[in-house]
Amino acid sequence: MGIIDHISDMFEVTSIRKSKRKPMQTVEIKVKMDCDGCERKVTNAVSSIKGVKSVDVSRKQSKVTVSGYIEPKKVLKRVQNTGKKAEFWPYVEYNLVSYPYAIGAYDKKAPSGYVRDVPQAFQTPNTPTQRLTSMFSDENPNACQIM
């Protein structure tokens, strides 16, 4: 039995596999789709990924929204493997941006109601206009310093 114990010690697996579940994520991808066939091809490719819970395709906006326990890069790669040009969704809603006509933010190719997600479009905190608007806040009755 000494030889068998020695051999089993040599082939013992020392690594412990930690299986960590991926967090629930929503991935938005811009994909140019022209017809029902393109839409079906992208939907089938994405829905076959392990961990996908829902797939929403909007051909009018050229947008695919995927939810589930997935990795965003893996979803993008799977969509690109269908032969379609794809990228992560580069837009943000128009009403969430302080300066929608900032340089680089306005895009004629963007779907209606969206502008490009660039840092120049968002207002930086502690700017003079931000301090003035917070001084007269309706939400805080103690904010009015003049009265």
Side-chain angles (χ1 to χ4, degrees):
M1 288 274 246
I3 294 173
I4 295 175
D5 290 335
H6 179 67
I7 292 173
S8 67
D9 287 342
M10 287 178 20
F11 295 108
E12 187 176 329
V13 178
T14 57
S15 65
I16 299 171
R17 183 177 175 179
K18 294 180 181 178
S19 140
K20 192 173 185 180
R21 191 171 190 181
K22 297 176 187 90
M24 178 74 162
Q25 293 183 340
T26 301
V27 181
E28 295 177 332
I29 299 175
K30 178 182 174 186
V31 184
K32 180 67 176 156
M33 296 172 283
D34 299 324
C35 61
D36 291 334
C38 298
E39 187 176 331
R40 191 174 29 231
K41 189 185 230 185
V42 171
T43 303
N44 290 339
V46 172
S47 61
S48 67
I49 299 173
K50 183 180 176 185
V52 171
K53 298 295 179 196
S54 68
V55 178
D56 182 37
V57 178
S58 173
R59 190 178 351 156
K60 186 176 181 180
Q61 290 184 334
S62 299
K63 181 178 181 180
V64 177
T65 306
V66 183
S67 297
Y69 301 100
I70 50 176
E71 293 179 26
K73 289 183 180 180
K74 191 178 273 188
V75 175
L76 180 66
K77 186 79 170 167
R78 184 66 64 99
V79 172
Q80 288 173 340
N81 286 343
T82 62
K84 298 289 176 191
K85 184 179 178 189
E87 62 179 326
F88 289 116
W89 188 251
Y91 305 114
V92 67
E93 288 187 33
Y94 184 84
N95 57 357
L96 299 177
V97 178
S98 300
Y99 306 110
Y101 293 103
I103 297 172
Y106 183 73
D107 187 4
K108 290 181 182 178
K109 295 180 182 178
S112 63
Y114 289 93
V115 293
R116 281 219 174 258
D117 188 9
V118 294
Q120 298 91 348
F122 294 98
Q123 187 172 9
T124 57
N126 296 328
T127 58
T129 57
Q130 181 69 21
R131 280 185 260 140
L132 289 175
T133 56
S134 64
M135 190 174 6
F136 297 102
S137 174
D138 290 335
E139 297 168 0
N140 184 2
N142 300 324
C144 185
Q145 297 173 354
I146 296 176
M147 298 174 116

